C-alpha cells in the first residue's frame, strides 16, 4: 500500500492532509539510550480517501500529546509530508516511504479530551504503563513518575 506514497505523493513532496485511526502506543530503544515512545495509526487515507498505508508508526511527539489520551478506534486528521527512508539490516536495506512530522492533529471522533503529560519522561511512563512493561527492564522507573503525575491531577 505504501507504493501509493511513492507514486502519488513523493513526486511533489508537499504537505498534505490525512485521516487515520488510532491503534496503540508503543516504544523502541536505541542501543544504550532512553526508550522513545511511539504511536501507531492505521487505515491512513488522503483527502481523496485513497489508502496510503494500512498502518504506520510515528514518534509520540508533542503534537500527538496535545490531542490528549487516545482510545483505540479514535479518528484523527493531520497534515504531513512524504519522505523515503531505508529499513532493514545493513546487508538487506530496502527503500520504503513514510509520512513525517504530523502536525495540525485534530481528534474527530470524540470531543472530551483526557490530558497527557508533556514531558518525554512522563509520556514514556504512560506508554510503558499502557503496555504493562515491567519497570525492572529500565534503570529508571518511568511508570512510577507517570503514576505520581496522574495522582497529582486528581
Amino acid at each position: 500500500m505504501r507504493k501509493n506514497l511513492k507514486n502519488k505523493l513523493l513526486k511533489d513532496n508537499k504537505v498534505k492532509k490525512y485521516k487515520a485511526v488510532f491503534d496503540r502506543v508503543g516504544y523502541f530503544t536505541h542501543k544504550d539510550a532512553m526508550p522513545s515512545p511511539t504511536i501507531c495509526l492505521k487505515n491512513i487515507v488522503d483527502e481523496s480517501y485513497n489508502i496510503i498505508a494500512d498502518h504506520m508508526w510515528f514518534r509520540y511527539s508533542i503534537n500527538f500529546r496535545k490531542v490528549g489520551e487516545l482510545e483505540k478506534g479514535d479518528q484523527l486528521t493531520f497534515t504531513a509530508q512524504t519522505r523515503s527512508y531505508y529499513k532493514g539490516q545493513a546487508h538487506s536495506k530496502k527503500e520504503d516511504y513514510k509520512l513525517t512530522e504530523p502536525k495540525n492533529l485534530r481528534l474527530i471522533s470524540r470531543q472530551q479530551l483526557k490530558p497527557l503529560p508533556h514531558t518525554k519522561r512522563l509520556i514514556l511512563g504512560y506508554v510503558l504503563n499502557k503496555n504493562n512493561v515491567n519497570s525492572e527492564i529500565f534503570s529508571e522507573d518511568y511508570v512510577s513518575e507517570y503514576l505520581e503525575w496522574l495522582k497529582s491531577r486528581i
Side-chain angles (χ1 to χ4, degrees):
M1 286 189 210
R2 292 190 188 183
K3 288 180 183 174
N4 287 341
L5 285 175
K6 179 181 180 182
N7 297 334
K8 295 180 181 180
L9 308 173
L10 194 58
K11 292 176 186 175
D12 60 9
N13 206 20
K14 292 182 181 175
V15 173
K16 298 196 178 196
K17 192 171 183 177
Y18 300 94
K19 184 176 176 181
V21 176
F22 169 71
D23 188 38
R24 64 188 184 277
V25 294
Y27 67 95
F28 71 94
T29 54
H30 289 290
K31 188 177 182 180
D32 300 327
M34 181 173 152
S36 295
T38 58
I39 184 168
C40 183
L41 301 181
K42 64 181 186 176
N43 303 329
I44 303 168
V45 297
D46 65 13
E47 292 174 309
S48 302
Y49 293 94
N50 296 311
I51 297 172
I52 299 304
D54 60 347
H55 78 284
M56 211 173 275
W57 285 93
F58 298 91
R59 287 183 308 113
Y60 207 146
S61 67
I62 189 70
N63 292 328
F64 280 109
R65 290 179 254 173
K66 287 178 182 177
V67 174
E69 184 175 2
L70 296 169
E71 295 175 7
K72 189 173 183 114
D74 280 345
Q75 295 180 2
L76 299 161
T77 60
F78 61 96
T79 58
Q81 192 171 17
T82 306
R83 295 246 167 80
S84 65
Y85 72 101
Y86 290 91
K87 65 181 185 179
Q89 301 298 324
H91 62 281
S92 63
K93 287 197 180 246
K94 179 181 174 185
E95 187 175 31
D96 202 356
Y97 303 90
K98 65 181 179 178
L99 299 175
T100 61
E101 302 176 26
K103 294 181 179 155
N104 305 313
L105 283 114
R106 266 193 44 227
L107 180 63
I108 58 174
S109 59
R110 285 187 293 123
Q111 295 304 314
Q112 187 166 357
L113 298 178
K114 296 179 188 175
L116 284 173
H118 291 291
T119 68
K120 186 174 180 180
R121 289 182 66 83
L122 290 174
I123 201 69
L124 180 57
Y126 162 76
V127 167
L128 295 173
N129 187 53
K130 281 290 199 187
N131 285 283
N132 297 314
V133 174
N134 184 343
S135 61
E136 295 171 6
I137 293 173
F138 303 107
S139 61
E140 299 183 51
D141 196 351
Y142 302 104
V143 174
S144 292
E145 289 180 38
Y146 165 71
L147 293 174
E148 285 298 317
W149 174 85
L150 196 57
K151 283 182 195 173
S152 73
R153 307 263 319 148
I154 300 173

